[in-house]
Structures are given as C-alpha cells and as structure tokens.
Amino acid sequence: MTPTATSHDTVHTPLTAERVLAGAIELADRIGIEQFTIRRLATELDVKPMTIYHHVPSKDAIIDGIVDVVFGQIDLPPDELEWSAAIRRRCVSARSVLARHPWAPPLMESRTTPGPATLRHHDAVLGCFRRGGLSLQLTAHAYAIIDSYLYGFALQEANLPFHGDEEIAELAEAILESFPVEAFPHLAEFTTQHVLRPGYSFGHSFEFGLDVLLAGIAAAQQSNP
Amino acid sequence: MTPTATSHDTVHTPLTAERVLAGAIELADRIGIEQFTIRRLATELDVKPMTIYHHVPSKDAIIDGIVDVVFGQIDLPPDELEWSAAIRRRCVSARSVLARHPWAPPLMESRTTPGPATLRHHDAVLGCFRRGGLSLQLTAHAYAIIDSYLYGFALQEANLPFHGDEEIAELAEAILESFPVEAFPHLAEFTTQHVLRPGYSFGHSFEFGLDVLLAGIAAAQQSNP
DNA sequence: GCCAGTCATCGTACTAAGTACGACAACGAA
DNA sequence: TTCGTTGTCGTACTTAGTACGATGACTGGC
C-alpha cells in the first residue's frame, strides 16, 4: 500500500448508497445473510469498512434498503388485467424474485420503516383488489392470506437445503439413516416413494395453492356482494 | 465475589441441556432472537457463559434445540378425526404456539438437522393425509401449501409491530405522515377506513384462508380419486 | 494559478459476542 | 484418604459493528 495510488487501479467512481445496496444484495445472495458483514461487503466493494458508513448510517439501514430494493423488483399487478389474474401475475413474479434472494423472505415483513418501493407495492396490490370490487373487509382477508401463502412458500423454498436431484438424494438418505424406518414410516414412505422419484419439485405446488386461494376469494366475493 | 459460596444462595441443581433450552426459549420470547446471546442466557440461568458449553456444543445447537422444543409444543393431528378436521386442529395449535414464540417462524424450516420432535411432527401430518386417502402426489401438494400458509401467516403475525389498539394507531399515523396521502391513496384508505377501525385484527383472517385451502385440497381429492 | 473549505476515504480503537483452553473445586468410589 | 470424574469458571483470542478524528483529493472563488 504505497500512499500514492497504484497506477494500474482503475479510478473508482465514488461510492454511493445505491452501489452499497447493490453490492449488499449480490453478497447476501452469494453467501447468505448470516455471513453478510460490513467488513466483507467492504472487501467486495473494494473499500475499507468505514467508508461504507459515509453512505449508509448502519448495517440495519442496509437491510432496510435491500428489502426495499427487492420489493421494487417485484412486478406490480397490471392494471389492465382482471383482479385475480393481476394478483396471480404479481405473486408469480414475487416468488421468482424471492427465490433469487433466499435471505429475503423472513425480512420482507419485519421492517418497521418501509421504504418507498415497499409502500408503492402495497398500494398497488390494495388498489387492484379494490378496483376488482372487493370490500375493504374482503380485501384485508385476501391480502393477508395471499401474502401469508406467498411468503411462507418463499420461505420454505429458500430454505430447501438442496438445489438439484443429487443433493436432494444425499440429504434424504442422511436423514433416513438417522432413524429406524419403523419409527417414522410415513416420512420414510414419502421420502423414498415420492421425493426421491425423478421429477419431484417442491415448486410445483405453488400455483396449485395460489389458485385455490384466488378461487376462494372470488367465491367469497360472489356470496357477499 | 468471595471465593467461598455466599451462604444465602440456594444450592443450584446442576444445569442440564433441558434447562439451557428452556431458559433460551424464555429469553428469546422476552427479548427476541436478535438480542439473544450466550452471555445473556448465562446471566438468566445464573451461571457464567462457559458453563453453558458443557451442556450444549454451540449457540447453533441451542437454536436447533429450541426449534425442536417448539415443534414438540404443537398438537399432532388427532387420529380419531377426519383428515381435514385433524389438520385444521394441528394448524390452529401451531399458529398459537408460533404466536407465543415470535422468533420461531423463520427458523422452523431452516434447520438442516431436524430433531426428534420435528421428525415425529412431520410423520404424523403425513400419516394423517395418507390415512385420509390422499395420494402421495396430493399429499405433497397439500403439505406444501398448508405449511406455506401456516408459516407465512405466523411470520406476518410475529412481525406485526404492534400489539394493541393504541400501538397500531400510533404506528399507522407515523407511516401515514411519512408520505402525502395522494401518493398512496389505497394504502391510506385501507389504513384509515379499515385497520384503524375498532375490532380490526390481522388474526381474523387465519381460519378463513385455512378453510379455503382445506376445501381446495378436498376438491382435488374428489376430482382425482 | 492559489487557497480554503468540503467531502469521501480510511486508520485506530472500543465494545460486544462466540467460544477454545485449561484450571479448579466438589463429590463419590475404592 | 486419595483419585478420578464432572460441572463450573477465568482468561483470552477472534470476528463484528461502528464512533472518532485524521488525511488527502477536489472545487469554487479570487
């Protein structure tokens, strides 16, 4: 580290809050939120740790910020579609966004200071239900159950400890070997006869459940006009 | 701190792994998982930090352990009930358990080394679906969507930043004041016309959504025998 | 072209937390 | 009594968040 800049270094454009957040997301995606530290982020951004604090006030503010960025990545329900189709689109988009950021699901609903993209997102979803003719009461139920399902599915999907057919087989065998088959017969059956069969994918259930919920909301709307 | 034991101290029964886990749950319930540290737990248990490591190998093992304890607190689906009623009971029980332990929802599905109560729980739920006559395929969908909904709801409920009518009003006003009403009209309407009305409770939506999902699964069972 | 002020960057250091290592004391069995 | 066993703890190392203040580069006004 000579005091004069090493000549081969490309001149860095000054760090900004946006670059900090973008780097934070990239790092969290790669190593997980547990391993995510200011020091590692600094290395990633090619600066020293304290430099980061000139652009964001704290690690917590970074978490707030990246959650808002993720909200911004989710497609809003398109105005031109009928409400249930629009919400469906938004949910499918959200699931794919949350799958790209496995650290996000537990955090999306835990921030007490929502950012602008978060507010815009909630406003758009509420507006979609209302334009579809749902009462405030039913809108509340609908939003609560749809998002519960969405975040819960994303949470489970993000925590699947495998990402391919080989890994799933390894893990399943490890768990199965940890207890006698007679102790948990249904778990053993389910694992060997279904999960380990080719073609199994947890994600296949997503649209099934989503459509059940949307149909249930639509039915409630009919029966209570 | 004289080296000889102060005479008025009641003699401590020796610490055990169970007492460590029980204390950990109590502490996490009280101060949250973020604030939960080995050092604080030691103070709580009236021992020094390193004593804890004679009964559990690491903080991570404590997390594994308390998650398993929480699984053990959830009622299993009763054998004598029809499958959907039995699953319903189990879900209602789970929701109330998870509400008592707000730190738990994000962790329940993220452990790679499930404990005995966790395995027993999953085995019982799978067995309930199978005894009800659901195919393995439908059982997989059913379990995935029911648990997504359950954990998602618990996650949202655990993260509600208010716990009474006054707090909710405070927070809502703080959020509403942070932006012009015209910017997010639906959010403003929803908050002032519904959330702030007496009698609103997020939790009221739980059984509505749960019943929609159970009915959807039953319908799928009929149409594909 | 010079200078003072501004601003991004960073070095140092403090505090909190997880936990490895080994000392020590209390207690039971030989 | 003695020795081993077992639970308890003191010390200390490492990693992490971040407060404080210094430093160097860059800028607008002269």
Side-chain angles (χ1 to χ4, degrees), chain B residues 32-77:
Chain B
I33 200 76
E34 303 286 331
Q35 302 301 318
F36 169 82
T37 67
I38 293 284
R39 286 160 144 93
R40 269 193 263 262
L41 176 58
T43 304
E44 185 83 0
L45 294 171
D46 209 25
V47 297
K48 302 295 162 142
M50 288 314 292
T51 303
I52 290 173
Y53 286 93
H54 262 265
H55 301 94
V56 295
S58 69
K59 184 178 178 178
D60 241 42
I62 294 178
I63 306 287
D64 282 343
I66 62 181
V67 165
D68 200 55
V69 169
V70 170
F71 262 109
Q73 293 177 351
I74 300 172
D75 291 343
L76 300 181

Side-chain angles (χ1 to χ4, degrees), chain B residues 102-114:
Chain B
W103 46 269
L107 300 177
M108 301 294 283
E109 295 297 310
S110 70
R111 306 279 99 191
T112 53
T113 56

